[in-house]
Amino acid sequence: MATSPSTSPRGGRVGVVVALPDSNTASYHLRPPGGGEDWTAPKDGTTLRPVSVPVTHVQPLKRDFIYDHRAQQAALPVQIHHEDGGTSESLLVLTPGQVELYHIQLEQLIKSREQAKERQR
């Protein structure tokens, strides 16, 4: 599957590649998923982009935050889980204000969890 950039004539359309360029064909042939009118894209592929596999969720990795003093940003290594079962790693980048906000929210979450545990006893 491929998508055309929003600036191209097919502006953001997603298509299934049904024919590849070869010595007889000067273009990719694509069809919308589920059917519809075929369209073409130049064989150099400049008007196509791969379709990303949707993300299901993101989890922090068991690694320390990194702080970049020059950029004044914190970064948390995370693992991204995709719909097809694949994973990739990236960084969640936070400004100092976001770090402070999440610190407050996580403190409240921990307190709520502790209170719930006490009520269960």
Side-chain angles (χ1 to χ4, degrees):
M1 291 184 69
T3 185
S4 55
S6 57
T7 55
S8 76
R10 293 287 177 181
R13 287 183 61 187
V14 173
V16 177
V17 178
V18 294
L20 297 172
D22 57 26
S23 58
N24 299 324
T25 311
S27 59
Y28 286 90
H29 287 262
L30 299 103
R31 182 174 298 136
E37 184 181 335
D38 287 8
W39 49 285
T40 61
K43 75 175 183 178
D44 64 6
T46 56
T47 62
L48 296 177
R49 301 290 177 268
V51 173
S52 300
V53 177
V55 171
T56 59
H57 62 285
V58 177
Q59 288 180 307
L61 291 169
K62 292 182 180 178
R63 298 188 197 145
D64 290 339
F65 270 89
I66 303 158
Y67 187 73
D68 183 339
H69 294 281
R70 289 177 290 150
Q72 294 188 4
Q73 294 176 333
L76 174 65
V78 295
Q79 186 171 46
I80 303 166
H81 295 261
H82 301 275
E83 210 171 69
D84 66 357
T87 60
S88 56
E89 290 186 14
S90 189
L91 293 173
L92 174 62
V93 178
L94 303 168
T95 65
Q98 289 170 319
V99 170
E100 290 177 24
L101 173 64
Y102 298 139
H103 172 76
I104 292 166
Q105 291 177 344
L106 288 169
E107 274 187 330
Q108 291 171 348
L109 183 67
I110 291 166
K111 186 176 181 180
S112 294
R113 180 175 178 252
E114 289 170 353
Q115 290 171 345
K117 287 169 77 173
E118 287 296 320
R119 285 192 298 267
Q120 289 178 351
R121 291 183 185 177

